[in-house]
Amino acid sequence: MAELRAELVELLPRLRRFARVLARDAHDADDLVQTAIERALAHAGQLRADAPLAGWMFGILRNAWIDEQRARGRRGRVFAAAELGEQVADPAHGAPLETLAVQDAVARLPQEQRLAVALVLVEGLSYKEAAHIMEVPIGTLTSRLARAREALQAMLGERDGA
Amino acid sequence: MTFSDETLNAYVDGELDAATHAALEAAMTTDPQLAPRIARQRALRAQVRAAFAPVLTEPVPERLLASVRGAPGRAGNVVAFQARPRPRWSWPQWGAMAASLIVGVLLGPVLLRPSAPQQAPLETSGGRVLASGALAGALSQQLASSQPPGAPVAIGVSFRARSGGYCRTFLLREAQPLAGLACRAGPAWQVVALAQSELPGTGSGYRQAGSVLPPAVSRTLDELILGEPLDAAGESAARAAGWKP
């Protein structure tokens, strides 16, 4: 357990980055990381010795995110306006415009495409690892990735051309 | 030979099998359309990665480190994390917090205490709520490790705040017990969170006092704390230094 905790501490920056791609808002993203850590520690017995910790944690975090999205759906759209406000106010002050534009574009992708982008483009996982975490066949992953790339090119190209 | 977007993506992602990889690289030398298509995908991948790279070098919030450690009294005592409303303030807005975090407490009777105004535990000054009387005395002098049972004020956790100063949680044994959090502000203690306590204050150690903290107060604590609460020696040393950071 002590070893697991030490490895988790090392993994925290990546978990936070992964969560930030999914949730964008820094507080929401850290909430997801915290939920994932709590779940992981509660189910540490399920981690196979030969499985990479990062993949296991990304899977737990992804599930926590999906749960959170569903809960939000149930709560209705009450928070939508506030969240939009945060998105304007929250991301790191003084971040370069291009960074904000890319984060914006990623945040507009449908959930499943955003997940594919987070795992493959940002985290640099293999298709096999990413598909496993997303619980879909590799073909499904690659087509989501292709659609995500098209959408990002369109959104970012639009902006560059404007 | 034509290549689909997915094939080009796989090339950029390092996922192409050896044969297709070779065929694609051969085709690049003859097909002038291929190289720019690949360059665009490469640039996009780099751009997306770069947009999130700064997160890696941000300091990791203490609450996440604490949850990895499974710090006692924090993961366990608080209700399911998702259910908690998120604290939205940041450190510089601290002064403005005082009013909003005083939850469900009628300050009038506590502040005015018409029968004995000099003994009121709170006073207001410049829009801030400050500890006064017995509360101010206990915050400055009383140690959690050795406090008289039944004292009018019980001290809970003492800790270093992210801003550098010291803060302490307390329980005011009024007819309606109040739990709160005060931080050292110059010579005074500013009360930054205060709420009705559900349980009468019988605890003496910080565990007991910590466990009766109302959610508004424990959230504030979570937000402000840097590292772990002070132990008895740390508390004693901080008092000896006059609670100066």
Side-chain angles (χ1 to χ4, degrees), chain A residues 4-6 8-9 12-14 16-18 20-22 24-35 37-39 41 64 68 72 75 83 86 90 92 98-100 102-103 106 117 120-128 139 142-143 145-146 148-150 152-153 156 160, chain B residues 5-16 36-71 74-76 78-90 222-223:
Chain A
L4 173 63
R5 290 184 204 275
L8 277 175
V9 169
L12 276 174
R14 276 186 77 192
R16 294 186 72 233
R17 177 176 64 176
F18 177 54
R20 197 77 67 87
V21 182
L22 300 183
R24 172 141 203 200
D25 174 83
H27 297 269
D28 289 347
D30 283 339
D31 282 0
L32 282 175
V33 175
Q34 181 154 1
T35 305
I37 289 167
E38 284 164 6
R39 290 188 188 177
L41 291 173
E68 168 65 21
R72 266 180 204 224
R75 286 200 294 269
E83 274 160 17
E86 281 159 25
D90 229 37
E98 167 163 334
T99 297
L100 293 182
V102 175
Q103 289 178 352
V106 171
V117 165
V120 176
L121 300 193
V122 179
E123 291 305 323
L125 298 191
S126 69
Y127 287 177
K128 195 176 155 195
T142 54
S143 66
L145 209 46
R149 281 173 145 134
E150 267 172 49
L152 289 174
Q153 297 276 25
L156 296 169
D160 292 344
Chain B
D5 283 341
E6 286 199 28
T7 304
L8 299 192
N9 292 342
Y11 176 74
V12 169
D13 294 333
E15 291 277 344
L16 227 44
R37 282 172 70 200
I38 289 169
R40 262 202 309 278
Q41 288 305 335
R42 278 230 170 88
L44 180 68
R45 189 180 157 114
Q47 207 180 2
V48 171
R49 205 175 152 82
F52 292 95
V55 181
L56 289 179
T57 51
E58 286 175 10
V60 174
E62 178 57 32
R63 67 169 164 121
L64 296 183
L65 293 167
S67 68
V68 172
R69 285 192 298 261
R74 303 203 46 204
V78 184
V79 271
F81 185 82
Q82 296 276 0
R84 294 199 279 158
R86 292 184 305 255
R88 280 291 174 204
W89 56 85
S90 61
D222 277 355
E223 188 69 9

